[in-house]
């Protein structure tokens, strides 16, 4: 854990284990406000509104969330408990469709119930807590290993470009795309990071620069339309991005704009690395065309989301939250189990 980020708890359980506590990322970088989520609606809203965001963090929030909701189910009947659990699972899995970690974490929680269905409901609730905590700890371990595997492909003093936020704030701790940067920081690699602002919700401007600055990493914020220029100047020697769903053929869904960065990296001969845990690989999804791309409210584009409107009333807007980078544009996919 980067000591300067240790105080930033993306998602955790409260002491009494009856609420999920998240750092409300819609208020960053101006305010560090933690909110407690007690109900399925609280959790759904927090995920949909990106108060908690990033594929792994969404999965952990859902796992903790369905645990606290299930712990409040008042019945000793397995059938009644399981039916109510499944209702909550369907509800939470509908919050955001693209990041596979959300539904994958909920599936893991359901499997834990079915593996223990001979036990009493109180015992099953304890099994759910263990599974949720395991999901979180496995993610933290994976992120650290992703850092090691990623750093092995980088050199001290490199300029690296990243898109959106795939750092500490997108996972349990440490990050995926930024994990090698943090590890490099600990080992004196002196990376120079270029962070795309990442319209329309500005995860790069608001979150990536915030956490990198806090960790003392050299970071420069650029507009999304400056990537080509920065690459053309020779300031970038590697691109590091996260992922929300990796299809069986290696196509990757990530924040909108990622595929454009990949095209530019290919043009300028710069390695383009996708970093993420194997929990983001979806072998049931054959290729990028099969990935459901979340589309969000037009106001995120028309309004300067955080203070004023930027386009005429009723203008038609297309606001996909992600795009797909084809495997052929990806130099390597770096996971905790190795490089693909
Ligand atoms: C480590 S997953 C981070 C991944 O999630 C982000 O999307 P969002 O901010 O909408 O949750 C983005 O695609 C990042 O690369």
């Amino acid at each position: 854990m980067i000591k300067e980020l240790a105080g930033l708890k993306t998602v955790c359980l409260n002491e009494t284990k009856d609420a999920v506590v998240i750092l409300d990322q819609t208020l960053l970088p101006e305010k560090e406000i933690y909110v407690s989520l007690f109900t399925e609606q609280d959790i759904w809203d927090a995920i949909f509104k990106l108060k908690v965001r990033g594929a792994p963090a969404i999965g952990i929030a859902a796992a903790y969330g369905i645990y606290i909701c299930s712990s409040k189910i008042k019945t000793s009947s397995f059938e009644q408990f399981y039916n109510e659990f499944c209702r909550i699972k369907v509800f939470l899995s509908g919050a955001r469709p693209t990041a596979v970690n959300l539904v994958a974490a909920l599936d893991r929680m359901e499997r834990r119930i079915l593996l223990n269905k001979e036990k009493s409901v109180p015992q099953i609730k304890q099994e759910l807590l263990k599974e949720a905590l395991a999901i979180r700890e496995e993610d933290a371990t994976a992120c650290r290993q992703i850092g090691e595997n990623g750093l092995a492909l980088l050199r001290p003093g490199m300029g690296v470009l990243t898109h959106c936020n795939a750092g500490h704030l997108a996972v349990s701790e440490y990050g995926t795309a930024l994990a090698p940067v943090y590890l490099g920081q600990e080992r004196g690699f002196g990376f120079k990071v270029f962070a795309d602002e990442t319209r329309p919700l500005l995860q790069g401007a608001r979150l990536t620069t915030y956490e990198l600055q806090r960790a003392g990493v050299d970071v420069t914020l650029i507009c999304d339309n400056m990537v080509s220029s920065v690459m053309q100047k020779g300031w970038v020697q590697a691109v590091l991005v996260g992922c929300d769903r990796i299809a069986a053929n290696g196509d990757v869904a990530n924040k909108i704009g990622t595929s454009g960065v990949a095209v530019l990296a290919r043009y300028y001969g710069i390695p383009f690395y996708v970093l993420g845990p194997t929990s983001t690989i979806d072998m049931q999804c054959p290729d990028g065309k099969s990935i459901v791309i979340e589309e969000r409210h037009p106001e995120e584009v028309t309004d300067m989301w955080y203070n004023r409107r930027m386009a005429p009333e009723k203008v038609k807007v297309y606001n996909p939250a992600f795009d797909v980078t084809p495997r052929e544009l990806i130099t390597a996919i770096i996971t905790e189990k190795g490089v693909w």
Side-chain angles (χ1 to χ4, degrees), residues 241-291:
V241 297
C243 47
D244 290 87
R245 192 181 295 247
I246 303 173
N249 74 336
D251 289 348
V252 171
N254 194 52
K255 183 54 48 200
I256 185 68
T258 302
S259 63
V261 173
V263 169
L264 287 169
R266 176 57 55 89
Y267 177 79
Y268 289 107
I270 296 168
F272 180 90
Y273 297 118
V274 171
L275 296 88
T278 48
S279 58
T280 304
I281 298 173
D282 179 3
M283 294 308 285
Q284 307 312 312
C285 176
D287 56 31
K289 293 184 181 65
S290 312
I291 299 175

Side-chain angles (χ1 to χ4, degrees), residues 50 53-56 58 96 163-166 170-171 176 203 242-244 254-255 322:
L50 281 76
R53 44 140 306 277
I58 291 174
R96 296 186 74 193
H163 189 74
C164 196
N165 173 258
V171 301
T176 55
Q203 287 93 326
C243 47
D244 290 87
N254 194 52
K255 183 54 48 200
F322 302 92

Side-chain angles (χ1 to χ4, degrees), residues 220-240:
T220 302
L221 172 62
I222 61 172
C223 295
D224 299 330
N225 56 11
M226 298 171 187
V227 169
S228 177
S229 172
V230 163
M231 288 181 170
Q232 198 177 63
K233 293 178 189 306
W235 294 348
V236 177
Q237 286 73 49
V239 175
L240 306 174

